[in-house]
Amino acid sequence: MSEKRREKGSENGSEMKGGCHCGAVRITVPGLPEQVSQCNCSLCRKTGWIGGYWHPDDVTIDAAEGALNGYVQGDRMITTWNCKTCGSHTHWTPITAPPERMGLNMRMFDLADWGHLPVTEVDGASF
Ligand SMILES: [Zn+2]
């Protein structure tokens, strides 16, 4: 692993790879997120979301053209993406939300890689 790659990412370890259930969407990040959060809003509950956040420049989403389905709801701050083939909810990207952050569903990664991180409970239902 090059020093350059290590500088770009977090200081919390080495590259982590994950992806959707069928493998059509593959995700690579330079290391562990600064925090992992579980939110009680309707969307997070229904999609089984546990979020980790990165700068978009640090995230590589590898998917064929048209492999992802975007969903925008409510305040239209973000687009949440799921795999068209297997339905896995993989990530979200900002629309009007601050552009320096995007979210990945930690469930797309092996629990052995991140399961030791503390999970912050977010009361999104009250926002
Ligand atoms: Zn899939």
Side-chain angles (χ1 to χ4, degrees), residues 75-92:
D75 52 17
R76 306 186 65 85
M77 288 181 71
I78 62 173
T79 303
T80 55
W81 298 95
N82 60 76
C83 173
K84 266 188 185 166
T85 303
C86 69
S88 299
H89 287 259
T90 52
H91 65 293
W92 62 255

Side-chain angles (χ1 to χ4, degrees), residues 9-24:
S10 79
E11 296 151 9
N12 301 328
S14 57
E15 191 175 84
M16 184 166 68
K17 289 176 182 290
C20 70
H21 192 263
C22 74

Side-chain angles (χ1 to χ4, degrees), residues 29-99:
V29 290
L32 290 170
E34 285 172 13
Q35 61 162 326
V36 175
S37 60
Q38 180 164 264
C39 168
N40 64 0
C41 81
S42 58
L43 185 60
C44 289
R45 278 188 287 114
K46 288 177 186 276
T47 58
W49 183 270
I50 294 183
Y53 308 99
W54 282 266
H55 193 286
D57 289 351
D58 289 337
V59 177
T60 303
I61 304 286
D62 183 11
E65 182 89 35
L68 287 158
N69 180 53
Y71 177 60
V72 179
Q73 59 96 45
D75 52 17
R76 306 186 65 85
M77 288 181 71
I78 62 173
T79 303
T80 55
W81 298 95
N82 60 76
C83 173
K84 266 188 185 166
T85 303
C86 69
S88 299
H89 287 259
T90 52
H91 65 293
W92 62 255
T93 51
I95 300 172
T96 58

